């Protein structure tokens, strides 16, 4: 096993039961400053070692990547990987990304400026495996060795010094799932290169060529969504039942009798939520219904296939799946004849539908898409809601979803909203476009196979835990004061749920979390009792 | 005469190969959007990283673009390597020394040719005084500062890569060679310069180039010309051609947030791109239906 400080990119192909391990974690501020920063992760089980790839850092993210049983299968796997790599580099098969990809492959000066920007590298006290360019450099070495003349002729002299075998490829696949694709590193690159893009391209080769992707993203993600309408498996009849339940619950909770519009043809707005909200955080779609009705918007939900779930996990690992889902979501909107799609609190759905899908088709196939945030900001600005911000008189901080801020430039509306409804709003450091990922980005929040959650809860979320502890440092230990993390994204909320549970921040320190619409509803002047359960006596 | 031909060949190779590289990138198909904020052209919003998507009904509104904002950011990055300065100052001092040195040497080259032009029309440099004298001293200043900074920067970067483990493990022999090549070329230039501090040999060589006359060079100058020529041919073939790539990474990738609206240039490109039918596709089972093929 190679120590984290001594690991080199060319070591990826070396035979070892486990290439390296995490030996240190970033210290956290009080009250966690006494925690041992030398982690004791459980060893992967023997049966996992035999069947899956545990030879990177001991963790398994890709639960469909199984060890071959014969030498021939091993060779075939490597051959297919190289075939996929060739397709990645070809204008014929990878047109939609070829220019940015080739730039990022060609120009890295290895100046390491990006390292400090990465929350995973920082959380492991600079473990070499998680340096943003480590993964990129392994990929470059393979590209150089097999796809360039200089690499074939000069080998190690030009950096083409890596052994390619099943272990190298499998470890590289695993390593592509140790990056949240937050692209914070790309903000600092003096040459404008993008390690997140390269990590996603590796995931693409695995999915698009080898047919290998984490079950949570593919089989129980995009495939399930295309089949049933939602990655949660929520079918149309079940969705309609849930809406009825929401209406009843909403009335019970707020005294407001609201008929949630479904399949209203020709409505101005088709509101699409992350379907995970209906299952895990039903107060969120309830709050949307209250606000949109109070503001008098002409809106509807859709019960059509893919019309009631805005997620698009294709964004994380597969261009084809991303396109299929995005186009079907447009189709659901076109069928209803709505004027625009408005996305609820889901960061990656924002990016997928507004930014990524923007160039997937054209003309009449498209429907304008926008975030709910500017609409809500305008509703509040126009005084269409009667608000009493003193109802939210507790410390509130905002977690910025990377896809909404860094990758879309929606920064100010959510702050305008919070300033109107939360008198004790505190920014995290850093925030806005320079925020840190919640640690659950790019699918991690829903990937729960084997020991991957252990890695996530200790490593990828760590920087966010640090930020939360820092922003609430003055009131943290006073459990009589609720502290609220506003995370306007389902995926980020999943990560917050993990954080608060794992570090016992709710149980011990009364740290709460939810979205932004719930805060606005809680501030509605005409509500007799709090919308948040944690505020009820 | 061979030196003259070689000099022209090297210079033209540099220009042609650099342009070829840029054209190759420019001809690549339109890519999916990879906006990364802050985007400096977002008028009134760039300061905090905002975009047009902060407005409800953004597709009905005018996308307010500040070309001055983009130009300012680009110039700061090109002239001062802003991101490196902000995020890794210790390396910036060394890298900027190298880059500033190169910029000064480009300025020196222009001054050398201007001085040679003066001499060709009968204005002696510097003895005619006035502008000729100014050019003479500016040539010395830019040449000396440029050479020293380039030599220091390339040597310091080479040394840093050799001794710092976090750099060393990512550096190939070719990357050491690149820095050594620059350093050697500059040192060979300094070696010639110390025999003639006023760079009269430089103007003489420039006159030869401008009039297609054989270059008169001693052994030291011959070595310098050959090294510099080879370096000029070599740079565009390597990642040192990032002067071309950087335009695309920022302007055409990270800052390209132009939406695909009806009647827009982007829409036209998407329409054209949709005519392309790939002959091969990806092999995974879920790619074996028609609608996900791109």
């Amino acid at each position: 096993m190679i120590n984290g400080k001594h690991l080199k990119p060319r070591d990826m192909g070396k035979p070892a039961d486990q290439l390296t391990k995490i030996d240190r974690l970033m210290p956290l501020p009080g009250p966690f400053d006494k925690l041992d920063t030398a982690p004791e992760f459980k060893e992967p089980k023997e049966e996992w070692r035999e069947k899956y790839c545990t030879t990177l850092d001991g963790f398994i993210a890709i639960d469909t990547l199984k060890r071959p049983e014969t030498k021939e299968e091993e060779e075939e796997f490597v051959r297919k990987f190289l075939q996929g790599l060739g397709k990645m580099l070809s204008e014929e098969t990878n047109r939609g990304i070829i220019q940015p990809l080739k730039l990022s492959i060609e120009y890295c000066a290895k100046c390491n400026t990006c390292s400090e920007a990465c929350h995973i590298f920082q959380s492991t006290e600079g473990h070499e495996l998680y340096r943003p360019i480590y993964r990129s450099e392994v990929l470059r070495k393979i590209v150089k060795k097999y796809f360039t003349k200089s690499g074939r002729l000069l080998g190690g002299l030009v950096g083409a010094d890596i052994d390619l075998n099943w272990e190298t490829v499998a470890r590289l696949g695993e390593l592509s799932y140790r990056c949240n694709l937050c692209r914070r590193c790309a903000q600092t690159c003096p040459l404008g290169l993008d390690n997140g893009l390269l990590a996603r391209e590796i995931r693409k080769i695995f999915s698009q060529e080898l047919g290998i992707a984490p079950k949570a993203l593919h089989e129980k993600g995009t495939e399930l969504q295309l089949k049933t309408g939602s990655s949660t498996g929520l079918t149309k009849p079940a969705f309609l039942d849930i809406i009825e339940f929401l209406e009843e619950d909403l009335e019970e909770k707020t005294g407001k009798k609201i008929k949630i519009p479904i399949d209203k043809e020709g409505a101005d707005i088709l509101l699409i939520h992350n379907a995970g909200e209906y299952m895990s955080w039903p107060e969120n779609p309830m709050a949307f219904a209250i606000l949109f009705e109070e503001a008098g918007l002409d809106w509807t939900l859709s019960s059509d296939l893919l019309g009631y779930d805005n997620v698009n996990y294709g964004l994380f690992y597969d261009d084809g799946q991303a396109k299929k889902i995005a186009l079907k979501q447009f189709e659901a909107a076109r069928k209803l004849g709505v004027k625009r799609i408005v996305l609820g609190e889901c960061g990656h759905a924002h990016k997928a539908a507004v930014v990524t899908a923007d160039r997937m088709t054209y003309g009449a196939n498209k429907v304008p898409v926008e975030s709910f945030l500017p609409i809500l900001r305008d509703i509040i600005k126009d005084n269409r809601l009667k608000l009493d911000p003193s109802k939210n008189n507790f410390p509130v901080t905002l977690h910025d979803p990377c896809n909404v801020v860094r990758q879309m430039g929606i920064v100010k509306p959510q702050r305008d909203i919070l300033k109107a409804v939360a008198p004790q709003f505190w920014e995290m450091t850093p925030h806005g476009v320079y925020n840190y990922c919640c640690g659950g980005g790019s699918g991690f929040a829903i990937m729960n196979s084997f020991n991957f959650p252990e890695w996530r809860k200790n490593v990828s979320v760590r920087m966010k835990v640090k930020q939360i502890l820092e922003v609430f440092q003055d009131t943290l230990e006073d459990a009589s004061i609720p502290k609220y993390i506003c995370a306007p994204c389902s995926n980020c909320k999943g990560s917050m749920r993990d954080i608060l549970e794992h570090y016992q921040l709710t149980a011990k320190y009364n740290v709460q979390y939810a979205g932004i619409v719930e805060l606005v509803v809680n501030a509605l002047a005409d509500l007799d009792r709090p919308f948040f359960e944690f505020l009820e006596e | 005469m061979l030196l003259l031909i070689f000099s022209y060949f090297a210079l033209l190779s540099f220009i042609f190969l650099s342009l070829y590289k840029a054209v190759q990138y420019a001809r690549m198909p339109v890519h999916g959007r990879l906006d990364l904020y802050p985007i400096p052209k977002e008028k009134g919003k760039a300061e905090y990283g905002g975009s047009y998507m902060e407005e409800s009904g953004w597709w009905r509104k005018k996308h307010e673009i500040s070309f001055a904002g983009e130009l300012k950011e680009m110039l700061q990055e090109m002239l001062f390597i802003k991101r490196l300065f902000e995020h890794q100052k210790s390396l910036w001092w060394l890298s900027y020394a190298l880059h500033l040195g190169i910029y000064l040497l480009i300025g020196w080259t222009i001054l050398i040719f201007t001085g040679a032009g003066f001499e060709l029309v009968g204005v002696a440099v510097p003895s005619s005084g006035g502008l000729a004298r100014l050019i003479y001293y500016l040539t010395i200043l830019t040449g000396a500062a440029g050479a020293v900074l380039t030599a220091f920067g390339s040597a310091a970067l080479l040394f840093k890569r050799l001794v710092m483990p976090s750099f060393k493990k990512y550096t190939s022999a070719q990357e050491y060679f690149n820095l050594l090549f620059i350093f050697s070329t500059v040192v060979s230039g300094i070696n010639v310069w110390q025999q003639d501090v006023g760079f009269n040999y430089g103007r003489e060589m420039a006159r030869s180039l401008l009039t297609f006359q054989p270059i008169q060079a001693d052994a030291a100058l011959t070595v310098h010309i050959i090294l510099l020529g080879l370096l000029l041919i070599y740079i565009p073939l390597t990642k040192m051609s990032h002067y071309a790539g950087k335009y695309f990474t920022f302007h055409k990738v990270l800052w390209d947030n132009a939406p695909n609206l009806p009647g827009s240039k982007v829409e036209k490109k998407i329409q054209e791109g949709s005519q392309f039918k790939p002959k091969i596709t990806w092999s995974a089972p879920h790619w074996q239906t028609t609608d996900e093929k791109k």
Side-chain angles (χ1 to χ4, degrees):
Chain A
M1 206 177 296
I2 303 169
N3 178 288
K5 292 282 168 213
H6 301 139
L7 190 69
K8 299 182 189 74
R10 64 170 178 266
D11 294 333
M12 276 288 267
K14 286 189 175 165
D17 283 348
Q18 193 176 311
L19 186 63
T20 187
K21 70 168 189 175
I22 299 168
D23 43 20
R24 276 193 305 164
L25 290 172
M26 175 181 73
L28 291 172
F32 294 90
D33 48 348
K34 304 284 185 292
L35 272 187
D36 191 0
T37 52
E40 284 182 19
F41 292 116
K42 282 183 211 141
E43 290 288 315
K45 291 179 185 168
E46 202 49 46
E47 68 214 62
W48 298 352
R49 285 187 195 278
E50 280 167 20
K51 282 191 187 159
Y52 300 92
C53 177
T54 56
T55 64
L56 182 71
D57 52 4
F59 297 98
I60 306 169
I62 314 179
D63 47 8
T64 51
L65 173 56
K66 290 191 178 156
R67 284 193 172 275
E69 288 173 4
T70 63
K71 189 77 190 154
E72 288 72 33
E73 279 178 23
E74 259 189 56
E75 285 167 3
E76 176 63 5
F77 180 82
V78 175
R79 189 195 64 76
K80 279 181 83 173
F81 171 78
L82 282 176
Q83 185 175 288
L85 191 54
K87 289 179 186 174
M88 180 192 90
L89 296 166
S90 161
E91 202 171 299
E92 171 109 8
T93 35
N94 210 10
R95 286 176 76 76
I97 199 78
I98 199 73
Q99 188 195 55
L101 168 70
K102 289 216 163 167
L103 288 163
S104 281
I105 293 268
E106 181 169 359
Y107 283 119
C108 179
K110 296 142 190 195
C111 67
N112 284 336
T113 309
C114 53
S115 308
E116 302 302 311
C118 175
H119 58 290
I120 295 175
F121 183 69
Q122 294 300 317
S123 292
T124 52
E125 295 278 84
H127 194 296
E128 206 59 42
L129 186 67
Y130 306 124
R131 191 187 287 281
I133 67 163
Y134 183 92
R135 179 188 311 103
S136 308
E137 198 51 22
V138 172
L139 182 69
R140 277 192 201 97
K141 281 181 184 299
I142 303 173
V143 169
K144 200 116 203 174
K145 186 167 177 173
Y146 293 94
F147 294 92
T148 67
K149 279 182 196 136
S150 62
R152 280 193 286 262
L153 285 171
L154 302 167
L157 293 175
V158 292
D161 53 352
I162 193 160
D163 294 327
L164 193 65
N165 50 51
W166 189 88
E167 224 62 66
T168 323
V169 177
R171 284 170 180 162
L172 185 60
E174 273 293 330
L175 193 52
S176 70
Y177 287 93
R178 301 292 186 277
C179 165
N180 282 114
L181 311 185
C182 80
R183 301 176 71 213
R184 196 171 188 273
C185 57
Q187 281 179 319
T188 66
C189 179
L191 293 162
L193 311 182
D194 196 337
N195 291 297
L197 180 153
L198 295 180
R200 185 174 179 274
E201 287 300 303
I202 299 168
R203 295 183 183 189
K204 270 170 59 180
I205 298 172
F206 271 74
S207 176
Q208 298 182 184
E209 191 65 16
L210 299 163
I212 295 170
K215 269 187 198 163
L217 300 186
H218 187 68
E219 190 185 320
K220 294 180 182 167
T222 55
E223 287 290 286
L224 189 62
Q225 187 178 10
L226 289 164
K227 202 170 127 196
T228 65
S230 165
S231 60
T232 59
L234 186 71
T235 57
K236 178 173 177 168
F239 168 71
L240 295 172
D241 279 352
I242 284 186
I243 297 301
E244 260 183 53
F245 160 77
L246 280 189
E247 288 167 345
E248 287 164 19
D249 210 32
L250 191 155
E251 189 175 356
E252 194 182 311
K253 213 171 160 58
T254 65
K256 292 177 186 289
K257 200 167 175 58
I258 290 176
K259 179 75 192 150
I260 295 175
I262 297 178
D263 298 332
K264 183 179 163 191
E265 288 187 16
D268 177 23
I269 291 170
L270 166 62
L271 175 66
I272 315 183
H273 292 294
N274 177 319
E277 300 285 348
Y278 297 115
M279 321 293 272
S280 301
W281 303 285
E283 295 81 9
N284 184 276
M286 259 187 238
F288 264 99
I290 294 169
L291 296 174
F292 277 26
E293 285 297 308
E294 294 263 333
L297 301 184
D298 176 18
W299 69 291
T300 184
L301 299 178
S302 163
S303 68
D304 198 15
L305 195 72
L306 280 90
Y308 54 90
D309 191 356
N310 65 16
V311 311
N312 189 341
Y313 296 155
L315 192 72
F316 304 143
Y317 76 102
D318 192 302
D319 287 346
Q321 297 293 87
K323 188 172 179 179
K324 270 195 267 191
I325 290 169
L327 296 187
K328 285 191 189 294
Q329 286 166 341
F330 282 142
E331 197 183 317
R334 281 204 317 275
K335 271 192 200 167
L336 278 180
V338 296
K339 293 187 180 65
R340 52 181 162 160
I341 296 173
V342 171
L343 301 159
E345 297 194 9
C346 179
H348 89 271
H350 268 66
K351 185 188 165 187
V354 184
V355 177
T356 310
D358 184 46
R359 294 182 182 174
M360 284 179 180
T361 186
Y362 60 92
N365 292 331
K366 287 185 72 184
V367 176
V369 197
E370 67 175 315
S371 166
F372 76 99
L373 284 164
I375 296 174
L376 186 55
R377 185 258 326 263
D378 292 350
I379 289 171
I380 292 173
K381 207 168 94 186
D382 297 344
N383 293 317
R384 288 153 82 178
L385 302 172
K386 283 196 182 112
L387 296 170
D388 175 6
S390 69
K391 292 185 170 189
N392 286 331
N393 197 16
F394 44 82
V396 171
T397 193
L398 173 65
H399 161 69
D400 280 301
C402 304
N403 285 305
V404 173
V405 287
R406 186 162 30 253
Q407 314 211 34
M408 281 181 81
I410 300 180
V411 184
K412 208 161 167 286
Q414 56 273 50
R415 289 172 165 75
D416 291 343
I417 294 165
L418 285 175
K419 280 172 194 162
V421 299
Q424 295 188 51
F425 168 48
W426 298 95
E427 290 277 18
M428 291 189 192
T429 308
H431 58 265
V433 288
Y434 301 111
N435 75 321
Y436 280 113
C437 170
C438 63
S442 82
F444 290 6
I446 52 160
M447 286 163 54
N448 290 313
S449 290
F450 304 111
N451 54 1
F452 191 68
E454 197 185 359
W455 184 84
R456 182 180 67 225
K457 288 173 189 176
N458 286 285
V459 181
S460 66
V461 305
R462 200 169 188 85
M463 188 60 87
K464 191 49 65 179
V465 174
K466 182 170 180 272
Q467 283 191 292
I468 292 168
L469 295 174
E470 283 170 351
V471 76
F472 291 141
Q473 58 182 327
D474 292 341
T475 53
L476 188 76
E477 302 212 29
D478 184 349
S480 68
I481 303 172
K483 286 139 298 241
Y484 186 93
I485 306 164
C486 171
C489 163
S490 309
N491 200 67
C492 302
K493 276 193 295 202
S495 204
M496 294 304 151
R497 182 173 54 193
D498 245 16
I499 289 172
L500 300 191
E501 194 184 298
H502 184 73
Y503 294 87
Q504 295 183 287
L505 293 181
T506 307
K508 287 188 178 169
Y509 304 107
N510 197 6
V511 180
Q512 309 289 338
Y513 79 102
I516 198 166
V517 284
E518 294 94 319
L519 263 180
V520 179
V521 169
N522 194 57
L524 285 177
D526 66 349
L527 284 195
D528 295 335
R529 59 188 178 105
F531 191 65
F532 293 122
E533 279 176 20
F534 65 82
L535 290 179
E536 287 182 1
E537 297 291 323
Chain B
M1 200 65 187
L2 276 176
L3 275 183
L4 180 83
I5 293 167
F6 174 71
S7 301
Y8 265 109
F9 175 72
L11 197 63
L12 291 173
S13 297
F14 177 80
I15 294 167
F16 174 76
L17 291 170
S18 299
L19 279 175
Y20 177 70
K21 189 140 231 171
V23 168
Q24 269 188 321
Y25 275 112
R27 281 187 173 168
M28 286 178 185
V30 62
H31 54 77
R33 276 173 58 187
L34 290 161
D35 317 9
L36 191 71
Y37 294 84
I39 293 183
K41 69 180 178 190
E42 285 294 331
K43 201 173 186 176
K45 293 175 183 288
E47 207 168 272
Y48 63 87
S51 79
Y52 62 88
M53 287 171 276
E54 288 190 327
E55 303 302 320
S56 179
W58 55 264
W59 56 92
R60 291 189 298 263
K61 296 174 182 169
K62 190 171 182 281
H63 184 187
E64 297 281 350
I65 288 173
S66 163
F67 288 108
E70 174 156 343
L71 191 65
K72 186 181 161 202
E73 183 72 18
M74 263 201 159
L75 286 175
Q76 283 180 334
E77 192 52 54
M78 282 163 61
L79 297 177
F80 304 111
I81 326 180
K82 184 186 168 192
R83 278 164 182 72
L84 193 60
F85 180 79
E86 285 174 347
H87 300 288
Q88 202 184 174
K89 217 161 278 172
S90 60
L91 184 66
W92 179 85
W93 288 105
L94 312 184
S95 179
Y96 193 57
L98 171 66
H99 286 86
L100 181 62
I102 293 170
Y103 298 156
L104 287 170
L105 288 176
I106 293 169
W108 170 83
T109 309
I110 294 166
L111 287 164
I112 284 282
F113 274 89
T114 312
F118 272 49
E119 288 176 343
L120 284 173
V121 295
V123 181
V125 176
S127 54
S128 298
L131 195 54
R133 188 177 293 272
L134 181 68
I135 285 170
Y136 178 78
Y137 285 111
L138 276 179
T139 307
I140 295 176
L141 190 72
T142 51
V148 170
L149 282 169
T150 308
F152 166 75
S154 54
L157 287 175
L158 183 63
F159 183 71
K160 183 160 183 157
R161 289 208 165 266
L162 281 165
V163 298
M164 276 194 71
S166 58
F167 281 74
K168 195 176 174 181
K169 63 179 76 169
Y170 292 93
T171 310
S172 67
Q174 185 191 18
E175 285 151 345
Y176 290 123
F177 171 77
N178 293 349
L179 288 165
L180 192 63
F181 198 173
I182 295 173
F183 179 74
S184 311
T185 306
V186 178
V187 167
S188 73
I190 293 172
N191 182 42
V192 182
W193 173 55
Q194 51 94 20
Q195 298 162 28
D196 176 2
V197 180
F199 288 113
N200 295 307
Y201 65 93
R203 277 183 293 277
E204 194 182 322
M205 182 183 157
R207 281 203 309 275
S208 300
L209 282 165
L210 290 171
T211 56
F212 292 96
Q213 296 300 314
I215 295 168
Q216 303 300 319
D218 60 10
L221 182 58
T222 305
V223 168
H224 179 57
I225 291 171
I226 290 172
L227 279 176
L228 181 62
L230 290 174
L231 184 64
L232 285 175
I233 298 166
Y234 178 67
I235 282 175
L237 302 173
T238 70
K239 67 179 177 187
M240 287 190 284
S241 62
H242 57 244
Y243 49 85
K246 207 163 164 168
Y247 167 78
F248 292 96
T249 56
F250 285 105
H251 182 74
K252 289 289 179 190
V253 180
L254 302 181
W255 298 347
D256 173 14
N257 63 355
N260 170 17
L261 294 174
S264 65
K265 279 183 195 165
V266 179
E267 188 189 50
K268 195 162 176 274
K269 284 185 189 169
I270 305 292
Q271 269 178 316
E272 286 165 5
S274 68
Q275 305 303 312
F276 179 81
K277 301 289 173 227
K279 291 185 185 71
I280 51 165
T281 187
W282 297 82
S283 306
H286 64 276
W287 270 77
Q288 304 317 309
T289 53
T290 48
D291 54 351
E292 67 269 73
K293 289 176 186 173
K294 293 184 133 185

